[in-house]
Amino acid sequence: MNYLLKGGRVINPAEQFDGLMDVLIEEGKIAKIGKKITAKDAKVMDMTGLVITPGLIDMHVHLRDPGLEAKEDMASGTRAAAAGGFTTIACMPNTKPIVDSSIVVEGILRRAAVEGLVHVAVIGSVSKGESGKELAEIGDMILSGAVAISDDGIYINQANLLKTGMEYTSMFDRIFITHAEEKSLVEEGVMHEGKISAKLGLKGRPSIAEDIAVARNIMLAEYTDTRLHIAHVSSRESVELIRQAKARGVKVTAEATPHHLALTDEAVLTFSTAAKVCPPLRSAEHVQAVRQGLLDGTIDAIATDHAPHAFEEKDCEYNDAPNGFAGLETALGVVLTELYHTKLMSLMDIVNKMSVAPAQLLNLKAGVLKVGASADITIINPELSWTVDSTGFYTKGKSTPFEGRKLIGKAVGTFVGGRLMMEQGNVLSE
Amino acid sequence: MIKTPVSLRRKNILDLASLSKEEIESILITAKEMKNVINRDIKKVPTLRGKSVVNLFFEPSTRTRTSFELAGKYLGADVVNITTSSSSVVKGESLRDTLMTVEAMGVDVIVMRHKAEGAALFATQCVSPVIINAGDGAHAHPTQGLLDLFTMKQHYDSLSGLKVVIVGDITHSRVARSNIAGLAKFGADVHLAGPKTLIPKDAESLGVTVHYNVEEALKDADVVNVLRIQLERQKSGLFPSPREYARIFGMNSKRLALAKPGALLLHPGPMNRGLEISPDIAYSDQSMIAGQVQNGLAVRMALLFLVTLGGKNIELLA
Ligand SMILES: [Zn+2]
């Protein structure tokens, strides 16, 4: 079907365009952007009060498929993405099997083509089985379509493997994503080490574990001339380290998650397993610093680290619960509430961090609204008030620290390749 | 009768970097004459009669050792092979001791291979016979470099401006270093290609262009020199797998077609067919790999001749 979006506020950061326009979608592509467009065989949609942006891209998603489908699968994960306004998600390799060969990359891409509601990009592992010992077939995976390389949640302890992995990845002009947390400092920790952990008696994960790892990884990236991307930055000092590295020309980029931008370690006060995440939610001064890093460009992108777990896995004592929670369906609302409605960021900047930047980081032909491009479009109602209710989530992972929170702003439409996949929060799947 | 344009001004052959362009040319011209000897029915000439050559190999290498052995024998020298592991030190005998023992037996030339970079130079400081380096670690393999130059010179009038692409494990390759040093003297345009993990940091300082994309490197190449990949490099984590290596860096007919038509394909051997080189091109028309072996013999004969008898015009065809 063809669609004519009438009278929406088009925000296209690639051209720094922000203004009222009509957008015509024909045969999966953007056919026209202009004023007073008319079209015969198109479904006309009134966009008054709504924002039309290039489709949002989440560069850090745990899709859990293959192998861990009880937590999430291709269908549920991509539905959650469409519901959250995302048109592309990049999935991390810690599945079962690990994404450490081209066969697995191709398998996911094939399944995504059949069952996925949004575009799925695959991130391959650095080491075989994410064991931190032997290089995975990085080049082979990239040739089969992997867009980035990472052992994600696994901190690469061996500096030697990290160096070799970076060198090897850098040949292919792909980003090398690292989870930065010096292992020996966080081994038994379950939350940020600080006042709250002192009070609760929970073992801490000090922010310096992240700082040391970020510093080491930056130094190796500088030495090997690698495009290093630091996942989910959460500490003040690591933001500063990245800022300094960028200033001296190191090819380093970074992302922050909505939860590290919005929540502090006080969320753990009730021992809620929904607040257990890695890196942990930190104290207010760290949250401030991460926000500042996002505003001044030190942090390039916002990514969810969507990490769904089955209900019973999170339904236990805090110490035993796995790290992570669902993020796709709350991300935009949290960001708009915390950063747009507080006047810290413009919609243009937010779309930049949630679409344009991730597209560039992953070398994707996305993040733009232009005639001829695939019609990957997100429709946002920035003023819509809603309450987070995980029972309505499309993801299988119902755990979220934002449960019950009132948010302002939401995606109300998602076009993927010209197909309307979500409307008014309802995923439309044929 | 061989008339060499200049005599070798040195005694020992340690690497190509220390030989002048004229000396290399002199060796190559001599080698050309030696090829005639090899292709005779009766190959033996008495040129080096009464001279003794010891092949002192601390690392196994059938190919190079045999080549030196036959080179000496065809020229009438007495050749002895000593193959020993570098671990004879275990028995309390140092490299110096071993060399002095050989020297005491009145040897004229010691052809030496050792896993330690600089071992050949060290040998020259220990004993007085001529030392020919048959490979010292990852440093130099001058006779391989010479035979590669010789092979290229058979096909191209001048090496100046010739685009030579060396593909593979550069970091650990004495062959690559020798070729780079030799080709530099002739003004060739040398490009390196291989995984970043197998190309030394700052390789550009050797006067070459570095590529991590083989296709890009191969464009308009005149010579493609494929190196042997040691599988230990994979075990030590420098590349993910042989399969991936073959897919991304392996030389095959499709890749070779990116080079100039008729570009030469070289490989120092022994080949891992299906890894760094695909079987269909290993013995194709473009492949000089078999020719390299014979050229290696000729070059080694030339060297033995020149280092023992210098520039004296000796009648070879006795
Ligand atoms: Zn993650």
Side-chain angles (χ1 to χ4, degrees):
Chain A
M1 194 185 298
N2 298 333
Y3 296 90
L4 178 56
L5 313 181
K6 291 292 280 183
R9 178 179 165 195
V10 171
I11 293 183
N12 184 13
E15 287 166 12
Q16 286 295 301
F17 180 83
D18 182 347
L20 294 180
M21 282 284 171
D22 298 345
V23 176
L24 178 64
I25 300 169
E26 275 179 355
E27 285 163 26
K29 294 199 160 61
I30 297 174
K32 264 184 201 167
I33 304 172
K35 297 226 187 253
K36 295 188 178 151
I37 299 175
T38 52
K40 275 185 205 144
D41 321 307
K43 181 181 171 186
V44 179
M45 296 174 78
D46 181 11
M47 292 284 126
T48 309
L50 302 181
V51 176
I52 300 172
T53 74
L56 303 183
I57 299 169
D58 188 351
M59 64 184 295
H60 190 150
V61 169
H62 297 274
L63 197 47
R64 309 299 191 202
D65 188 345
L68 300 162
E69 288 88 350
K71 293 174 190 278
E72 191 85 293
D73 59 27
M74 184 60 71
S76 65
T78 55
R79 273 175 174 71
F86 292 95
T87 56
T88 299
I89 56 175
C91 57
M92 282 293 179
N94 63 341
T95 46
K96 231 176 182 175
I98 301 282
V99 186
D100 63 359
S101 73
S102 57
I103 302 291
V104 187
V105 172
E106 286 163 12
I108 295 173
L109 291 175
R110 254 198 310 276
R111 186 163 334 181
V114 178
E115 293 174 29
L117 270 73
V118 302
H119 303 296
V120 174
V122 180
I123 298 169
S125 68
V126 177
S127 63
K128 287 184 189 138
E130 291 190 335
S131 62
K133 288 184 183 134
E134 275 177 83
L135 283 189
E137 293 182 332
I138 291 170
D140 206 32
M141 288 190 284
I142 289 171
L143 291 179
S144 292
V147 294
I149 295 298
S150 180
D151 272 357
D152 176 49
I154 309 292
Y155 173 73
I156 298 174
N157 197 35
Q158 286 290 331
N160 184 41
L161 178 85
L162 189 59
K163 174 172 176 277
T164 314
M166 281 187 185
E167 280 176 336
Y168 204 82
T169 304
S170 69
M171 292 189 293
F172 303 95
D173 192 33
R174 291 292 186 282
I175 55 169
F176 186 97
I177 306 173
T178 58
H179 176 102
E181 247 191 328
E182 164 57 39
K183 215 176 177 172
S184 61
L185 290 168
V186 297
E187 219 113 47
E188 294 184 333
V190 290
M191 72 170 295
H192 175 63
E193 181 170 278
K195 287 182 191 141
I196 309 289
S197 68
K199 182 174 174 183
L200 298 179
L202 291 172
K203 292 227 167 54
R205 296 173 92 91
S207 57
I208 190 139
E210 178 171 323
D211 311 337
I212 288 170
V214 166
R216 181 193 73 156
N217 295 0
I218 284 174
M219 290 176 88
L220 274 169
E222 189 167 14
Y223 189 77
T224 58
D225 195 24
T226 300
R227 285 172 68 190
L228 170 67
H229 179 80
I230 316 259
H232 38 51
V233 172
S234 72
S235 89
R236 183 179 54 194
E237 289 73 16
S238 59
V239 171
E240 184 53 30
L241 285 163
I242 295 163
R243 187 177 286 127
Q244 289 168 4
K246 279 190 161 176
R248 65 175 187 275
V250 183
K251 294 180 195 164
V252 59
T253 53
E255 75 197 24
T257 67
H259 50 271
H260 288 118
L261 289 162
L263 300 173
T264 68
D265 54 353
E266 294 191 16
V268 184
L269 274 172
T270 57
F271 295 96
S272 162
T273 59
K276 189 175 176 188
V277 67
C278 176
L281 300 172
R282 299 206 189 272
S283 58
E285 74 237 19
H286 291 289
V287 174
Q288 269 314 313
V290 174
R291 285 181 172 208
Q292 188 49 44
L294 188 71
L295 299 183
D296 68 19
T298 301
I299 294 170
D300 305 80
I302 297 172
T304 65
D305 191 11
H306 176 78
H309 294 286
F311 170 78
E312 63 279 8
E313 293 176 278
K314 280 284 203 181
D315 184 34
C316 61
E317 312 86 281
Y318 184 90
N319 265 312
D320 291 347
N323 288 313
F325 42 73
L328 285 166
E329 287 160 270
T330 51
L332 184 62
V334 169
V335 170
L336 290 173
T337 306
E338 295 285 334
L339 301 170
Y340 171 66
H341 289 291
T342 54
K343 302 206 161 42
L344 286 171
M345 287 177 86
S346 65
L347 285 174
M348 179 83 78
D349 290 342
I350 288 170
V351 175
N352 203 20
K353 303 281 185 193
M354 296 183 77
S355 173
V356 182
Q360 286 168 352
L361 289 169
L362 300 176
N363 295 12
L364 302 176
K365 282 191 190 123
V368 286
L369 288 178
K370 65 174 181 208
V371 173
S374 170
D376 296 337
I377 292 172
T378 302
I379 312 293
I380 299 169
N381 181 344
E383 305 300 333
L384 183 72
S385 285
W386 60 292
T387 303
V388 176
D389 174 8
S390 63
T391 57
F393 281 181
Y394 285 90
T395 174
K396 291 186 184 179
K398 308 294 183 196
S399 177
T400 168
F402 296 106
E403 186 72 51
R405 277 276 283 262
K406 280 207 162 58
L407 301 176
I408 311 166
K410 200 175 194 302
V412 294
T414 308
F415 285 94
V416 181
R419 289 168 68 185
L420 184 59
M421 290 299 185
M422 185 274 281
E423 193 175 18
Q424 303 300 341
N426 298 311
V427 172
L428 315 164
S429 48
E430 296 104 86
Chain B
M1 187 79 153
I2 292 179
K3 289 198 197 299
T4 54
V6 288
S7 62
L8 277 185
R9 281 191 293 268
R10 72 204 55 249
K11 196 172 107 181
N12 305 301
I13 305 295
L14 301 180
D15 54 44
L16 288 193
S18 59
L19 291 176
S20 70
K21 185 181 172 188
E22 289 70 29
E23 286 175 310
I24 293 174
E25 274 171 338
S26 166
I27 296 164
L28 299 184
I29 288 167
T30 313
K32 215 168 160 185
E33 300 294 331
M34 293 300 175
K35 270 197 94 156
N36 296 331
V37 176
I38 299 168
N39 289 317
R40 285 187 199 169
D41 232 14
I42 310 281
K43 299 166 199 332
K44 199 144 177 153
V45 293
T47 314
L48 295 189
R49 193 158 56 199
K51 298 284 181 188
S52 55
V53 177
V54 164
N55 280 330
L56 184 56
F57 275 54
F58 294 93
E59 245 183 20
S61 161
T62 313
R63 190 173 279 248
T64 307
R65 204 213 62 222
T66 309
S67 183
F68 269 109
E69 184 177 353
L70 284 176
K73 285 183 169 163
Y74 287 175
L75 291 172
D78 293 310
V79 184
V80 175
N81 294 318
I82 302 175
T83 303
T84 170
S85 72
S86 317
S87 63
S88 63
V89 225
V90 184
K91 289 180 271 168
E93 189 168 88
S94 68
L95 176 55
R96 182 185 291 273
D97 292 340
T98 308
L99 287 161
M100 285 170 69
T101 307
V102 174
E103 179 184 36
M105 294 174 187
V107 166
D108 297 291
V109 180
I110 297 174
V111 176
M112 187 174 132
R113 164 158 304 179
H114 199 281
K115 70 166 195 271
E117 292 81 8
L121 175 63
F122 175 72
T124 66
Q125 293 156 2
C126 297
V127 293
S128 58
V130 171
I131 303 291
I132 296 179
N133 184 7
D136 60 333
H139 169 235
H141 191 359
T143 55
Q144 179 72 42
L146 287 166
L147 79 87
D148 287 340
L149 289 177
F150 186 75
T151 309
M152 291 178 222
K153 279 210 148 200
Q154 276 184 324
H155 292 265
Y156 298 105
D157 294 337
S158 163
L159 301 185
S160 172
L162 214 61
K163 181 172 178 183
V164 180
V165 185
I166 306 175
V167 184
D169 179 357
I170 313 290
T171 299
H172 305 93
S173 174
R174 52 189 169 222
V175 176
R177 284 191 183 74
S178 294
N179 271 287
I180 292 166
L183 287 163
K185 296 191 192 278
F186 289 87
D189 176 22
V190 181
H191 293 246
L192 308 180
K196 194 172 177 181
T197 45
L198 293 176
I199 294 185
K201 197 169 169 65
D202 299 327
E204 287 90 351
S205 64
L206 302 171
V208 299
T209 310
V210 174
H211 306 261
Y212 304 122
N213 179 312
V214 185
E215 279 90 0
E216 207 178 279
L218 287 172
K219 265 175 219 144
D220 298 319
D222 298 289
V223 179
V224 180
N225 192 355
V226 179
L227 303 176
R228 176 178 169 81
I229 288 297
Q230 310 280 332
L231 286 164
E232 303 90 271
R233 306 299 171 217
Q234 193 237 321
K235 294 196 184 84
S236 57
L238 293 175
F239 65 93
S241 69
R243 200 179 73 80
E244 166 151 334
Y245 187 92
R247 180 167 180 195
I248 298 175
F249 301 100
M251 195 54 53
N252 52 37
S253 51
K254 211 171 134 199
R255 292 209 166 109
L256 190 58
L258 297 169
K260 278 192 190 146
L264 300 188
L265 176 68
L266 306 181
H267 189 296
M271 290 180 274
N272 295 301
R273 264 167 280 167
L275 177 53
E276 73 262 4
I277 192 162
S278 70
D280 58 323
I281 58 165
Y283 294 115
S284 67
D285 287 350
Q286 279 172 270
S287 167
M288 296 297 131
I289 297 168
Q292 278 173 278
V293 176
Q294 188 176 85
N295 291 342
L297 182 54
V299 158
R300 288 171 185 123
M301 287 170 74
L303 264 188
L304 286 175
F305 170 71
L306 290 170
V307 295
T308 44
L309 301 173
K312 281 179 274 174
N313 293 332
I314 301 295
E315 207 152 325
L316 190 66
L317 314 175

